[in-house]
Short mmCIF file of all heavy atoms in Angstrom, two decimals:
data_model
loop_
_atom_site.label_atom_id
_atom_site.label_comp_id
_atom_site.label_asym_id
_atom_site.label_seq_id
_atom_site.Cartn_x
_atom_site.Cartn_y
_atom_site.Cartn_z
N HIS M 1 3.41 -20.01 22.07
CA HIS M 1 3.89 -19.17 21.01
C HIS M 1 4.87 -18.09 21.49
O HIS M 1 5.78 -17.74 20.77
CB HIS M 1 2.73 -18.47 20.31
CG HIS M 1 2.12 -19.27 19.22
ND1 HIS M 1 1.04 -20.10 19.43
CD2 HIS M 1 2.44 -19.39 17.93
CE1 HIS M 1 0.72 -20.66 18.30
NE2 HIS M 1 1.55 -20.25 17.36
N LEU M 2 4.66 -17.58 22.68
CA LEU M 2 5.45 -16.44 23.11
C LEU M 2 6.92 -16.77 23.27
O LEU M 2 7.76 -15.92 23.05
CB LEU M 2 4.90 -15.88 24.42
CG LEU M 2 3.51 -15.27 24.34
CD1 LEU M 2 3.07 -14.79 25.72
CD2 LEU M 2 3.48 -14.13 23.35
N GLY M 3 7.25 -18.01 23.62
CA GLY M 3 8.65 -18.36 23.81
C GLY M 3 9.35 -18.76 22.52
O GLY M 3 10.56 -18.92 22.50
N GLU M 4 8.60 -18.92 21.44
CA GLU M 4 9.20 -19.36 20.18
C GLU M 4 9.89 -18.20 19.48
O GLU M 4 9.43 -17.06 19.54
CB GLU M 4 8.11 -19.88 19.23
CG GLU M 4 7.39 -21.09 19.72
CD GLU M 4 6.26 -21.50 18.78
OE1 GLU M 4 6.36 -21.22 17.58
OE2 GLU M 4 5.31 -22.10 19.27
N PRO M 5 10.99 -18.48 18.81
CA PRO M 5 11.60 -17.43 17.98
C PRO M 5 10.61 -17.00 16.92
O PRO M 5 9.80 -17.79 16.44
CB PRO M 5 12.80 -18.13 17.35
CG PRO M 5 13.07 -19.32 18.20
CD PRO M 5 11.73 -19.71 18.79
N ILE M 6 10.67 -15.72 16.53
CA ILE M 6 9.68 -15.18 15.59
C ILE M 6 9.70 -15.91 14.25
O ILE M 6 8.69 -16.01 13.58
CB ILE M 6 9.89 -13.66 15.42
CG1 ILE M 6 8.63 -13.03 14.82
CG2 ILE M 6 11.10 -13.34 14.59
CD1 ILE M 6 8.55 -11.55 15.00
N GLU M 7 10.84 -16.48 13.87
CA GLU M 7 10.93 -17.19 12.59
C GLU M 7 10.12 -18.48 12.61
O GLU M 7 9.76 -19.01 11.58
CB GLU M 7 12.38 -17.51 12.24
CG GLU M 7 13.26 -16.28 12.02
CD GLU M 7 13.79 -15.71 13.33
OE1 GLU M 7 13.85 -16.44 14.34
OE2 GLU M 7 14.12 -14.51 13.35
N GLU M 8 9.83 -19.03 13.81
CA GLU M 8 9.16 -20.32 13.92
C GLU M 8 7.66 -20.21 14.16
O GLU M 8 6.99 -21.20 14.32
CB GLU M 8 9.80 -21.13 15.05
CG GLU M 8 11.22 -21.51 14.73
CD GLU M 8 11.85 -22.33 15.85
OE1 GLU M 8 11.11 -22.85 16.69
OE2 GLU M 8 13.08 -22.42 15.87
N ARG M 9 7.12 -19.01 14.17
CA ARG M 9 5.68 -18.84 14.35
C ARG M 9 5.18 -17.81 13.34
O ARG M 9 5.95 -17.05 12.77
CB ARG M 9 5.35 -18.40 15.76
CG ARG M 9 5.90 -17.04 16.14
CD ARG M 9 5.29 -16.56 17.45
NE ARG M 9 5.91 -15.36 17.95
CZ ARG M 9 5.62 -14.12 17.55
NH1 ARG M 9 4.73 -13.92 16.61
NH2 ARG M 9 6.24 -13.08 18.06
N SER M 10 3.89 -17.80 13.15
CA SER M 10 3.31 -16.79 12.29
C SER M 10 3.46 -15.43 12.94
O SER M 10 3.30 -15.28 14.14
CB SER M 10 1.82 -17.07 12.08
OG SER M 10 1.62 -18.25 11.38
N ARG M 11 3.75 -14.46 12.13
CA ARG M 11 3.82 -13.10 12.66
C ARG M 11 2.41 -12.61 12.91
O ARG M 11 1.53 -12.80 12.10
CB ARG M 11 4.56 -12.21 11.68
CG ARG M 11 5.98 -12.70 11.50
CD ARG M 11 6.93 -11.57 11.30
NE ARG M 11 8.27 -12.10 11.41
CZ ARG M 11 9.23 -11.83 10.55
NH1 ARG M 11 9.00 -11.07 9.52
NH2 ARG M 11 10.43 -12.33 10.73
N ARG M 12 2.21 -11.97 14.05
CA ARG M 12 0.88 -11.50 14.44
C ARG M 12 0.67 -10.07 13.97
O ARG M 12 1.48 -9.18 14.25
CB ARG M 12 0.73 -11.56 15.95
CG ARG M 12 0.69 -12.96 16.49
CD ARG M 12 0.43 -12.94 18.00
NE ARG M 12 0.68 -14.24 18.56
CZ ARG M 12 1.84 -14.62 19.07
NH1 ARG M 12 2.86 -13.80 19.11
NH2 ARG M 12 1.97 -15.84 19.55
N VAL M 13 -0.47 -9.85 13.31
CA VAL M 13 -0.83 -8.53 12.82
C VAL M 13 -2.18 -8.15 13.41
O VAL M 13 -3.12 -8.94 13.39
CB VAL M 13 -0.91 -8.50 11.28
CG1 VAL M 13 -1.41 -7.16 10.78
CG2 VAL M 13 0.43 -8.83 10.66
N LEU M 14 -2.28 -6.93 13.91
CA LEU M 14 -3.55 -6.39 14.36
C LEU M 14 -4.07 -5.49 13.25
O LEU M 14 -3.43 -4.49 12.89
CB LEU M 14 -3.40 -5.61 15.67
CG LEU M 14 -4.67 -4.98 16.23
CD1 LEU M 14 -5.73 -6.04 16.50
CD2 LEU M 14 -4.36 -4.18 17.48
N LEU M 15 -5.20 -5.85 12.67
CA LEU M 15 -5.82 -5.11 11.57
C LEU M 15 -6.98 -4.30 12.14
O LEU M 15 -7.93 -4.86 12.68
CB LEU M 15 -6.31 -6.09 10.51
CG LEU M 15 -7.08 -5.53 9.33
CD1 LEU M 15 -6.24 -4.51 8.56
CD2 LEU M 15 -7.51 -6.66 8.41
N VAL M 16 -6.89 -2.97 12.02
CA VAL M 16 -7.87 -2.08 12.64
C VAL M 16 -8.57 -1.26 11.56
O VAL M 16 -7.93 -0.45 10.88
CB VAL M 16 -7.19 -1.12 13.64
CG1 VAL M 16 -8.25 -0.36 14.44
CG2 VAL M 16 -6.22 -1.85 14.55
N ASP M 17 -9.87 -1.48 11.39
CA ASP M 17 -10.66 -0.72 10.43
C ASP M 17 -12.12 -0.83 10.80
O ASP M 17 -12.58 -1.90 11.20
CB ASP M 17 -10.43 -1.24 9.01
CG ASP M 17 -10.80 -0.22 7.95
OD1 ASP M 17 -11.99 0.15 7.90
OD2 ASP M 17 -9.92 0.19 7.19
N ASP M 18 -12.87 0.27 10.67
CA ASP M 18 -14.28 0.23 11.00
C ASP M 18 -15.13 -0.39 9.89
O ASP M 18 -16.29 -0.69 10.09
CB ASP M 18 -14.80 1.63 11.37
CG ASP M 18 -14.58 2.65 10.27
OD1 ASP M 18 -13.49 2.64 9.66
OD2 ASP M 18 -15.48 3.47 10.03
N SER M 19 -14.55 -0.61 8.72
CA SER M 19 -15.26 -1.23 7.61
C SER M 19 -15.06 -2.74 7.62
O SER M 19 -13.93 -3.22 7.48
CB SER M 19 -14.76 -0.66 6.28
OG SER M 19 -15.21 -1.44 5.20
N ILE M 20 -16.15 -3.48 7.77
CA ILE M 20 -16.04 -4.94 7.80
C ILE M 20 -15.51 -5.48 6.48
O ILE M 20 -14.75 -6.44 6.45
CB ILE M 20 -17.38 -5.61 8.19
CG1 ILE M 20 -17.15 -7.09 8.46
CG2 ILE M 20 -18.44 -5.37 7.15
CD1 ILE M 20 -18.31 -7.78 9.15
N SER M 21 -15.89 -4.86 5.36
CA SER M 21 -15.41 -5.36 4.06
C SER M 21 -13.91 -5.16 3.92
O SER M 21 -13.22 -6.03 3.38
CB SER M 21 -16.16 -4.68 2.91
OG SER M 21 -16.01 -3.28 2.95
N VAL M 22 -13.37 -4.06 4.42
CA VAL M 22 -11.92 -3.85 4.38
C VAL M 22 -11.23 -4.85 5.28
O VAL M 22 -10.22 -5.45 4.90
CB VAL M 22 -11.56 -2.40 4.78
CG1 VAL M 22 -10.06 -2.24 4.97
CG2 VAL M 22 -12.08 -1.42 3.74
N ARG M 23 -11.76 -5.07 6.48
CA ARG M 23 -11.15 -6.04 7.39
C ARG M 23 -11.12 -7.42 6.77
O ARG M 23 -10.11 -8.13 6.85
CB ARG M 23 -11.90 -6.08 8.73
CG ARG M 23 -11.68 -4.86 9.59
CD ARG M 23 -12.14 -5.05 11.03
NE ARG M 23 -13.45 -5.64 11.19
CZ ARG M 23 -14.58 -4.94 11.30
NH1 ARG M 23 -14.56 -3.62 11.25
NH2 ARG M 23 -15.73 -5.57 11.48
N LYS M 24 -12.21 -7.83 6.12
CA LYS M 24 -12.24 -9.15 5.49
C LYS M 24 -11.26 -9.24 4.33
O LYS M 24 -10.50 -10.20 4.23
CB LYS M 24 -13.66 -9.48 5.01
CG LYS M 24 -14.60 -9.85 6.12
CD LYS M 24 -15.95 -10.27 5.56
CE LYS M 24 -16.86 -10.72 6.67
NZ LYS M 24 -18.14 -11.19 6.15
N PHE M 25 -11.27 -8.25 3.43
CA PHE M 25 -10.42 -8.29 2.25
C PHE M 25 -8.94 -8.25 2.62
O PHE M 25 -8.15 -9.11 2.21
CB PHE M 25 -10.76 -7.12 1.32
CG PHE M 25 -9.92 -7.06 0.08
CD1 PHE M 25 -10.11 -7.97 -0.94
CD2 PHE M 25 -8.92 -6.11 -0.05
CE1 PHE M 25 -9.32 -7.93 -2.09
CE2 PHE M 25 -8.13 -6.06 -1.18
CZ PHE M 25 -8.34 -6.98 -2.20
N VAL M 26 -8.56 -7.27 3.41
CA VAL M 26 -7.14 -7.13 3.79
C VAL M 26 -6.73 -8.29 4.70
O VAL M 26 -5.62 -8.83 4.56
CB VAL M 26 -6.89 -5.77 4.47
CG1 VAL M 26 -5.45 -5.67 4.98
CG2 VAL M 26 -7.19 -4.64 3.50
N GLY M 27 -7.61 -8.71 5.59
CA GLY M 27 -7.30 -9.84 6.47
C GLY M 27 -7.02 -11.11 5.69
O GLY M 27 -6.08 -11.85 6.00
N GLN M 28 -7.81 -11.38 4.66
CA GLN M 28 -7.58 -12.57 3.83
C GLN M 28 -6.25 -12.48 3.09
O GLN M 28 -5.53 -13.48 2.99
CB GLN M 28 -8.73 -12.76 2.83
CG GLN M 28 -10.00 -13.21 3.49
CD GLN M 28 -11.19 -13.23 2.54
OE1 GLN M 28 -11.12 -12.75 1.41
NE2 GLN M 28 -12.30 -13.80 2.99
N MET M 29 -5.91 -11.30 2.60
CA MET M 29 -4.62 -11.13 1.92
C MET M 29 -3.47 -11.41 2.88
O MET M 29 -2.50 -12.08 2.53
CB MET M 29 -4.48 -9.71 1.35
CG MET M 29 -5.34 -9.46 0.15
SD MET M 29 -5.12 -7.86 -0.67
CE MET M 29 -4.08 -6.92 0.37
N LEU M 30 -3.57 -10.88 4.09
CA LEU M 30 -2.52 -11.08 5.09
C LEU M 30 -2.41 -12.55 5.50
O LEU M 30 -1.31 -13.08 5.65
CB LEU M 30 -2.78 -10.21 6.32
CG LEU M 30 -2.60 -8.70 6.11
CD1 LEU M 30 -3.20 -7.93 7.26
CD2 LEU M 30 -1.13 -8.36 5.91
N GLN M 31 -3.55 -13.23 5.66
CA GLN M 31 -3.53 -14.64 6.02
C GLN M 31 -2.88 -15.47 4.91
O GLN M 31 -2.10 -16.38 5.19
CB GLN M 31 -4.94 -15.14 6.31
CG GLN M 31 -5.46 -14.64 7.64
CD GLN M 31 -6.91 -15.01 7.89
OE1 GLN M 31 -7.67 -15.26 6.96
NE2 GLN M 31 -7.29 -15.02 9.16
N ARG M 32 -3.19 -15.17 3.66
CA ARG M 32 -2.56 -15.90 2.54
C ARG M 32 -1.05 -15.67 2.51
O ARG M 32 -0.31 -16.52 2.04
CB ARG M 32 -3.18 -15.48 1.22
CG ARG M 32 -4.54 -16.12 0.96
CD ARG M 32 -4.98 -15.98 -0.47
NE ARG M 32 -5.13 -14.60 -0.91
CZ ARG M 32 -6.25 -13.89 -0.86
NH1 ARG M 32 -7.35 -14.43 -0.39
NH2 ARG M 32 -6.28 -12.65 -1.28
N ALA M 33 -0.62 -14.53 3.03
CA ALA M 33 0.81 -14.23 3.08
C ALA M 33 1.47 -14.86 4.31
O ALA M 33 2.68 -14.70 4.50
CB ALA M 33 1.03 -12.72 3.09
N GLY M 34 0.68 -15.56 5.14
CA GLY M 34 1.26 -16.28 6.27
C GLY M 34 1.17 -15.58 7.61
O GLY M 34 1.76 -16.05 8.59
N PHE M 35 0.43 -14.49 7.69
CA PHE M 35 0.29 -13.76 8.95
C PHE M 35 -0.89 -14.30 9.75
O PHE M 35 -1.89 -14.73 9.20
CB PHE M 35 0.07 -12.27 8.70
CG PHE M 35 1.25 -11.58 8.10
CD1 PHE M 35 1.36 -11.42 6.73
CD2 PHE M 35 2.27 -11.10 8.91
CE1 PHE M 35 2.45 -10.79 6.17
CE2 PHE M 35 3.38 -10.47 8.36
CZ PHE M 35 3.47 -10.32 6.99
N ALA M 36 -0.76 -14.26 11.07
CA ALA M 36 -1.88 -14.53 11.96
C ALA M 36 -2.56 -13.20 12.21
O ALA M 36 -1.96 -12.27 12.77
CB ALA M 36 -1.38 -15.13 13.26
N VAL M 37 -3.81 -13.06 11.77
CA VAL M 37 -4.50 -11.77 11.79
C VAL M 37 -5.55 -11.72 12.90
O VAL M 37 -6.36 -12.62 13.04
CB VAL M 37 -5.18 -11.49 10.43
CG1 VAL M 37 -5.91 -10.15 10.45
CG2 VAL M 37 -4.16 -11.54 9.30
N THR M 38 -5.50 -10.65 13.67
CA THR M 38 -6.54 -10.33 14.63
C THR M 38 -7.14 -9.01 14.19
O THR M 38 -6.42 -8.09 13.81
CB THR M 38 -5.94 -10.18 16.05
OG1 THR M 38 -5.32 -11.41 16.42
CG2 THR M 38 -7.01 -9.84 17.07
N SER M 39 -8.47 -8.91 14.22
CA SER M 39 -9.14 -7.69 13.77
C SER M 39 -9.69 -6.89 14.94
O SER M 39 -10.08 -7.46 15.97
CB SER M 39 -10.30 -8.03 12.83
OG SER M 39 -9.82 -8.61 11.66
N ALA M 40 -9.73 -5.58 14.75
CA ALA M 40 -10.36 -4.67 15.70
C ALA M 40 -11.26 -3.72 14.91
O ALA M 40 -10.92 -3.33 13.80
CB ALA M 40 -9.30 -3.89 16.47
N ILE M 41 -12.41 -3.34 15.51
CA ILE M 41 -13.37 -2.53 14.78
C ILE M 41 -13.10 -1.03 14.84
O ILE M 41 -13.66 -0.27 14.06
CB ILE M 41 -14.81 -2.81 15.26
CG1 ILE M 41 -14.97 -2.49 16.75
CG2 ILE M 41 -15.19 -4.25 14.97
CD1 ILE M 41 -16.41 -2.55 17.24
N ASP M 42 -12.25 -0.60 15.76
CA ASP M 42 -11.86 0.80 15.84
C ASP M 42 -10.66 0.92 16.78
O ASP M 42 -10.18 -0.08 17.32
CB ASP M 42 -13.02 1.70 16.29
CG ASP M 42 -13.58 1.36 17.65
OD1 ASP M 42 -12.85 0.80 18.49
OD2 ASP M 42 -14.77 1.64 17.88
N GLY M 43 -10.18 2.14 16.96
CA GLY M 43 -8.99 2.34 17.77
C GLY M 43 -9.15 1.94 19.22
O GLY M 43 -8.22 1.42 19.84
N ALA M 44 -10.34 2.16 19.79
CA ALA M 44 -10.56 1.78 21.19
C ALA M 44 -10.49 0.26 21.35
O ALA M 44 -9.88 -0.25 22.30
CB ALA M 44 -11.91 2.31 21.67
N ASP M 45 -11.09 -0.47 20.41
CA ASP M 45 -11.02 -1.93 20.43
C ASP M 45 -9.57 -2.38 20.27
O ASP M 45 -9.10 -3.28 20.97
CB ASP M 45 -11.89 -2.49 19.30
CG ASP M 45 -11.97 -4.01 19.27
OD1 ASP M 45 -11.74 -4.66 20.32
OD2 ASP M 45 -12.27 -4.56 18.19
N ALA M 46 -8.84 -1.73 19.39
CA ALA M 46 -7.43 -2.08 19.17
C ALA M 46 -6.59 -1.87 20.42
O ALA M 46 -5.76 -2.71 20.77
CB ALA M 46 -6.86 -1.25 18.01
N LEU M 47 -6.81 -0.76 21.11
CA LEU M 47 -6.04 -0.50 22.33
C LEU M 47 -6.29 -1.58 23.37
O LEU M 47 -5.35 -2.01 24.05
CB LEU M 47 -6.40 0.87 22.90
CG LEU M 47 -5.86 2.06 22.11
CD1 LEU M 47 -6.44 3.37 22.66
CD2 LEU M 47 -4.35 2.09 22.13
N GLY M 48 -7.51 -2.04 23.48
CA GLY M 48 -7.82 -3.13 24.41
C GLY M 48 -7.11 -4.41 24.03
O GLY M 48 -6.57 -5.12 24.88
N GLN M 49 -7.08 -4.72 22.73
CA GLN M 49 -6.44 -5.95 22.28
C GLN M 49 -4.91 -5.87 22.40
O GLN M 49 -4.26 -6.89 22.63
CB GLN M 49 -6.86 -6.26 20.84
CG GLN M 49 -8.33 -6.62 20.76
CD GLN M 49 -8.70 -7.27 19.47
OE1 GLN M 49 -8.00 -8.12 18.97
NE2 GLN M 49 -9.84 -6.86 18.92
N LEU M 50 -4.37 -4.68 22.23
CA LEU M 50 -2.92 -4.54 22.38
C LEU M 50 -2.47 -4.87 23.81
O LEU M 50 -1.35 -5.32 24.02
CB LEU M 50 -2.48 -3.12 22.01
CG LEU M 50 -2.45 -2.82 20.52
CD1 LEU M 50 -2.29 -1.32 20.28
CD2 LEU M 50 -1.33 -3.60 19.84
N GLY M 51 -3.35 -4.66 24.78
CA GLY M 51 -3.03 -4.99 26.16
C GLY M 51 -3.12 -6.48 26.44
O GLY M 51 -2.57 -6.96 27.43
N ASP M 52 -3.82 -7.22 25.57
CA ASP M 52 -4.04 -8.64 25.79
C ASP M 52 -2.92 -9.53 25.24
O ASP M 52 -2.66 -10.59 25.80
CB ASP M 52 -5.36 -9.09 25.15
CG ASP M 52 -6.56 -8.48 25.83
OD1 ASP M 52 -6.44 -8.04 26.99
OD2 ASP M 52 -7.63 -8.44 25.19
N MET M 53 -2.30 -9.12 24.14
CA MET M 53 -1.25 -9.95 23.54
C MET M 53 -0.33 -9.08 22.69
O MET M 53 -0.74 -8.01 22.24
CB MET M 53 -1.85 -11.08 22.68
CG MET M 53 -2.48 -10.62 21.39
SD MET M 53 -2.93 -11.95 20.24
CE MET M 53 -3.79 -13.09 21.27
N PRO M 54 0.89 -9.54 22.47
CA PRO M 54 1.81 -8.76 21.64
C PRO M 54 1.52 -8.97 20.15
O PRO M 54 1.06 -10.03 19.73
CB PRO M 54 3.18 -9.33 22.00
CG PRO M 54 2.90 -10.74 22.42
CD PRO M 54 1.54 -10.72 23.06
N PHE M 55 1.77 -7.95 19.36
CA PHE M 55 1.64 -8.02 17.91
C PHE M 55 2.94 -7.58 17.28
O PHE M 55 3.67 -6.75 17.84
CB PHE M 55 0.49 -7.12 17.42
CG PHE M 55 -0.86 -7.62 17.83
CD1 PHE M 55 -1.46 -7.18 18.99
CD2 PHE M 55 -1.53 -8.55 17.06
CE1 PHE M 55 -2.70 -7.64 19.38
CE2 PHE M 55 -2.77 -9.03 17.43
CZ PHE M 55 -3.36 -8.57 18.59
N ASP M 56 3.24 -8.13 16.12
CA ASP M 56 4.45 -7.74 15.40
C ASP M 56 4.22 -6.50 14.56
O ASP M 56 5.17 -5.78 14.25
CB ASP M 56 4.91 -8.91 14.50
CG ASP M 56 5.24 -10.14 15.34
OD1 ASP M 56 6.12 -10.03 16.22
OD2 ASP M 56 4.62 -11.19 15.12
N ALA M 57 2.96 -6.25 14.18
CA ALA M 57 2.63 -5.08 13.37
C ALA M 57 1.17 -4.71 13.59
O ALA M 57 0.35 -5.55 13.95
CB ALA M 57 2.87 -5.37 11.89
N VAL M 58 0.86 -3.43 13.37
CA VAL M 58 -0.51 -2.93 13.42
C VAL M 58 -0.77 -2.23 12.10
O VAL M 58 0.01 -1.37 11.67
CB VAL M 58 -0.72 -1.95 14.59
CG1 VAL M 58 -2.13 -1.36 14.55
CG2 VAL M 58 -0.46 -2.63 15.92
N ILE M 59 -1.86 -2.62 11.45
CA ILE M 59 -2.30 -1.95 10.22
C ILE M 59 -3.62 -1.28 10.56
O ILE M 59 -4.56 -1.94 11.00
CB ILE M 59 -2.48 -2.95 9.07
CG1 ILE M 59 -1.14 -3.62 8.77
CG2 ILE M 59 -3.05 -2.25 7.84
CD1 ILE M 59 -1.22 -4.74 7.76
N THR M 60 -3.70 0.04 10.37
CA THR M 60 -4.86 0.77 10.86
C THR M 60 -5.38 1.79 9.86
O THR M 60 -4.62 2.37 9.09
CB THR M 60 -4.53 1.46 12.20
OG1 THR M 60 -5.72 2.09 12.69
CG2 THR M 60 -3.46 2.50 12.06
N ASP M 61 -6.69 1.97 9.89
CA ASP M 61 -7.37 3.05 9.19
C ASP M 61 -7.08 4.33 9.96
O ASP M 61 -6.80 4.29 11.16
CB ASP M 61 -8.87 2.73 9.18
CG ASP M 61 -9.68 3.70 8.33
OD1 ASP M 61 -9.09 4.51 7.61
OD2 ASP M 61 -10.92 3.62 8.40
N LEU M 62 -7.15 5.47 9.29
CA LEU M 62 -6.88 6.72 9.99
C LEU M 62 -8.11 7.32 10.62
O LEU M 62 -8.05 7.87 11.71
CB LEU M 62 -6.25 7.74 9.03
CG LEU M 62 -4.82 7.41 8.60
CD1 LEU M 62 -4.32 8.44 7.62
CD2 LEU M 62 -3.90 7.31 9.79
N GLU M 63 -9.27 7.26 9.96
CA GLU M 63 -10.47 7.89 10.48
C GLU M 63 -11.49 6.83 10.86
O GLU M 63 -12.00 6.11 10.00
CB GLU M 63 -11.06 8.84 9.45
CG GLU M 63 -10.15 10.01 9.15
CD GLU M 63 -10.75 10.98 8.16
OE1 GLU M 63 -11.96 10.91 7.89
OE2 GLU M 63 -9.99 11.82 7.66
N MET M 64 -11.76 6.71 12.17
CA MET M 64 -12.67 5.71 12.69
C MET M 64 -13.46 6.31 13.85
O MET M 64 -13.02 7.29 14.45
CB MET M 64 -11.91 4.48 13.19
CG MET M 64 -11.18 3.71 12.12
SD MET M 64 -10.25 2.34 12.78
CE MET M 64 -8.92 3.17 13.63
N PRO M 65 -14.61 5.71 14.17
CA PRO M 65 -15.34 6.18 15.36
C PRO M 65 -14.55 5.86 16.63
O PRO M 65 -13.66 5.03 16.62
CB PRO M 65 -16.64 5.39 15.32
CG PRO M 65 -16.47 4.31 14.33
CD PRO M 65 -15.28 4.64 13.49
N ARG M 66 -14.88 6.53 17.69
CA ARG M 66 -14.23 6.44 19.01
C ARG M 66 -12.79 6.88 18.95
O ARG M 66 -12.52 8.03 19.19
CB ARG M 66 -14.39 5.06 19.64
CG ARG M 66 -15.85 4.71 19.91
CD ARG M 66 -16.05 3.62 20.88
NE ARG M 66 -15.51 2.34 20.45
CZ ARG M 66 -15.34 1.32 21.26
NH1 ARG M 66 -15.64 1.42 22.53
NH2 ARG M 66 -14.86 0.19 20.81
N VAL M 67 -11.83 6.03 18.62
CA VAL M 67 -10.42 6.43 18.60
C VAL M 67 -9.88 6.23 17.18
O VAL M 67 -9.98 5.16 16.62
CB VAL M 67 -9.59 5.58 19.60
CG1 VAL M 67 -8.13 5.96 19.54
CG2 VAL M 67 -10.13 5.74 21.02
N ASN M 68 -9.33 7.29 16.59
CA ASN M 68 -8.76 7.22 15.25
C ASN M 68 -7.43 6.48 15.24
O ASN M 68 -6.79 6.31 16.27
CB ASN M 68 -8.52 8.61 14.67
CG ASN M 68 -9.80 9.25 14.20
OD1 ASN M 68 -10.70 8.58 13.69
ND2 ASN M 68 -9.88 10.56 14.35
N GLY M 69 -7.02 6.04 14.05
CA GLY M 69 -5.75 5.35 13.88
C GLY M 69 -4.59 6.30 13.97
O GLY M 69 -3.47 5.96 14.17
#
């Protein structure tokens, strides 16, 4: 995937929220829109995942345990 032009692959979104219901609801909307969604449970989890792979966008909650958005 990394060598493909962005138009030829799903855009990757990191969805960060401490609420599982928000992650599921928003994640499903993003997937239906054609995005490849990865979820994180808080800012600390998100920072770890950002080091593992590139994302085209990050959607984050502002107030979360450990590290805020």
Side-chain angles (χ1 to χ4, degrees):
H1 273 93
L2 294 178
E4 296 176 28
I6 198 162
E7 297 83 22
E8 294 181 17
R9 64 169 172 82
S10 294
R11 298 215 169 133
R12 292 184 193 92
V13 175
L14 179 59
L15 175 59
V16 189
D17 200 298
D18 57 318
S19 167
I20 190 167
S21 58
V22 170
R23 288 194 313 268
K24 285 184 177 183
F25 179 73
V26 175
Q28 288 173 350
M29 288 185 351
L30 290 166
Q31 286 175 337
R32 282 194 299 268
F35 293 94
V37 179
T38 301
S39 295
I41 60 171
D42 60 27
D45 183 24
L47 287 172
Q49 292 195 44
L50 284 168
D52 293 339
M53 71 170 48
F55 291 93
D56 299 302
V58 176
I59 299 174
T60 184
D61 187 9
L62 290 178
E63 295 182 14
M64 295 177 289
R66 297 199 298 166
V67 178
N68 283 325

